[in-house]
Amino acid sequence: MLAELTYSCPLACAYCSNPVDLAGYREELSTSEWRRVLAQAQQLGVWQLHLSGGEPLLRRDLVELVACAHGLGLYTNLITSAVGLSRARAEALRAAGLDHVQISIQADEAAVSDRIAGTPSFDRKLAAARVVTELGWPLTVNVVLHRGNIDRLGAIIGLAERLGADRLELANTQYYGWGWRNRDALLPGRAQLDRAEAVVRAARTRLAGRMELLYILPDYYGRYPKPCMGGWGRRQLTVAPNGDVLPCPAAHTLPLPRASVREDPLARIWTDSPLFRRFRGTDWMPEPCHSCDRREIDYGGCRCQAFQLTGDPARTDPVCHLSPDHHLVTATVQAANDATRPPEQQLIPRPHRGRSV
């Protein structure tokens, strides 16, 4: 389960996939409500809990929530920008039972990283990463790749290695939220991706047995879509800051009935809600998905991407080369590889929305 504790964040990343309109998320779940949700998650069968946002460190009750999850036997992973992860806060989280820390870094040097993040944060991130390893936590470094940093991949891998990361996630931007608004400026070209893949292959060979390296291609360059969340409502769920329950973090965009832990127990939402049942399995699929041999491999792709590109969440994901809407993706890729494309394009930054830690 992904618990998005707050959408407040001290950063202003132009690739952020969180909702653009945050008006509906101001009434965040209280500590007692989150404790109830965690207990229901454990009863449902959840065993791994990702604490995210926004920036989860902005929740003053984070240590209490970690202790609650630990008491329930859940494995906890903090997904953080690390802005606000002081040694005192880290020690309190360690004592509460936090199992793992994932820190996002935007680039390999301060000037570039701070420009992408929209605020000076690089040095604080590195200091926090050192605290994480000193306290004995496993460390994952996450870097969202895009046109503005993918050519720095070798240096980024070197930085993660120097920080002592156990795992490095190199995930190309997902085009939702602010990422969608900035898609044309963020999508890398084919030559950039070819260079990046060569760097990743060499690094995997060199770092085998020392650091796990995960590299995720941009959906738009795939021949087939990825199995979104391992299939709609099959393995994972997200609880938003206001209590909305979603099959994936971007599903708030879809024109489907809402489900909330403020109205129903988590088990009932998972089993019976129209939202979770709508695209579960394969019966809902149109052609060409319905008769495709891959229908239980990629499950028709991403419902949110289908809706974003076509206006219909039940369409075949246009990323698939068999989709009748595939031209929408090929046109975007062609534009990204246009020789006359400016080297840099104007980005719309995510507004700062933070509060004191």
Side-chain angles (χ1 to χ4, degrees):
M1 184 175 88
L2 175 65
E4 295 182 320
L5 300 181
T6 180
Y7 285 143
S8 294
C9 184
L11 306 187
C13 304
Y15 57 76
C16 181
S17 60
N18 282 346
V20 171
D21 182 7
L22 297 178
Y25 301 94
R26 291 185 180 131
E27 293 186 19
E28 296 177 358
L29 294 177
S30 66
T31 306
S32 61
E33 286 176 313
W34 271 116
R35 290 176 65 93
R36 173 170 53 81
V37 170
L38 296 179
Q40 291 179 0
Q42 189 268 343
Q43 292 166 6
L44 180 63
V46 169
W47 63 271
Q48 190 167 45
L49 176 69
H50 302 278
L51 300 160
S52 182
E55 176 48 69
L57 288 167
L58 291 175
R59 288 282 302 215
R60 292 185 176 89
D61 58 358
L62 179 61
V63 172
E64 183 178 345
L65 296 178
V66 168
C68 174
H70 179 72
L72 291 165
L74 302 179
Y75 182 93
T76 50
N77 173 34
L78 178 66
I79 301 173
T80 177
S81 69
V83 175
L85 187 60
S86 64
R87 177 172 287 274
R89 195 83 183 282
E91 289 175 347
L93 289 165
R94 193 76 169 107
L98 182 68
D99 294 296
H100 184 276
V101 179
Q102 174 179 312
I103 294 178
S104 67
I105 293 177
Q106 281 67 37
D108 59 291
E109 64 178 41
V112 181
S113 182
D114 293 347
R115 175 172 53 81
I116 294 171
T119 190
S121 55
F122 181 76
D123 291 339
R124 285 181 283 177
K125 289 171 178 287
L126 266 55
R130 295 185 184 103
V131 169
V132 166
T133 55
E134 287 168 9
L135 292 180
W137 271 309
L139 171 65
T140 292
V141 170
N142 175 271
V143 183
V144 176
L145 299 175
H146 47 81
R147 192 181 180 207
N149 65 2
I150 195 167
D151 289 325
R152 309 179 69 91
L153 198 48
I156 288 170
I157 294 170
L159 174 61
E161 188 178 1
R162 291 193 300 276
L163 290 174
D166 300 281
R167 176 182 169 93
L168 174 61
E169 294 182 355
L170 301 166
N172 275 275
T173 301
Q174 297 292 307
Y175 297 108
Y176 308 110
W178 293 96
W180 170 254
R181 288 195 170 190
N182 287 298
R183 181 189 64 174
D184 294 343
L186 292 170
L187 185 65
R190 168 54 72 182
Q192 288 183 295
L193 291 174
D194 289 344
R195 290 193 296 269
E197 289 180 50
V199 170
V200 169
R201 283 196 300 271
R204 279 182 173 152
T205 299
R206 180 172 60 83
L207 297 171
R210 288 193 287 143
M211 184 171 72
E212 182 183 0
L213 203 161
L214 177 67
Y215 177 70
I216 302 173
L217 272 171
D219 286 357
Y220 284 32
Y221 283 91
R223 182 171 172 80
Y224 297 102
K226 299 180 181 70
C228 181
M229 308 304 290
W232 183 274
R234 286 173 55 88
R235 298 177 55 192
Q236 302 180 57
L237 70 155
T238 295
V239 181
N242 65 345
D244 285 352
V245 186
L246 304 165
C248 81
H252 60 85
T253 62
L254 302 184
L256 294 173
R258 179 174 167 269
S260 172
V261 294
R262 283 175 163 156
E263 298 170 6
D264 288 298
L266 205 56
R268 185 182 301 165
I269 292 171
W270 175 266
T271 304
D272 298 325
S273 70
L275 175 61
F276 274 76
R277 291 168 60 93
R278 177 62 180 89
F279 298 114
R280 187 177 270 152
T282 60
D283 290 345
W284 62 273
M285 290 181 175
E287 294 294 351
C289 295
H290 191 70
S291 57
C292 181
D293 291 341
R294 295 180 56 87
R295 64 184 176 276
E296 294 193 23
I297 298 173
D298 56 39
Y299 301 100
C302 178
R303 299 301 89 225
C304 304
Q305 193 157 255
F307 176 68
Q308 201 143 44
L309 290 169
T310 73
D312 181 358
R315 299 281 286 182
T316 299
D317 188 339
V319 161
C320 182
H321 76 286
L322 300 173
S323 166
D325 304 303
H326 186 57
H327 64 280
L328 298 172
V329 171
T330 57
T332 301
V333 170
Q334 286 171 1
N337 289 276
D338 189 330
T340 64
R341 184 187 188 192
E344 290 189 12
Q345 293 173 261
Q346 189 67 34
L347 291 168
I348 306 170
R350 178 190 188 273
H352 292 275
R353 186 174 183 265
R355 53 178 180 240
S356 60
V357 177

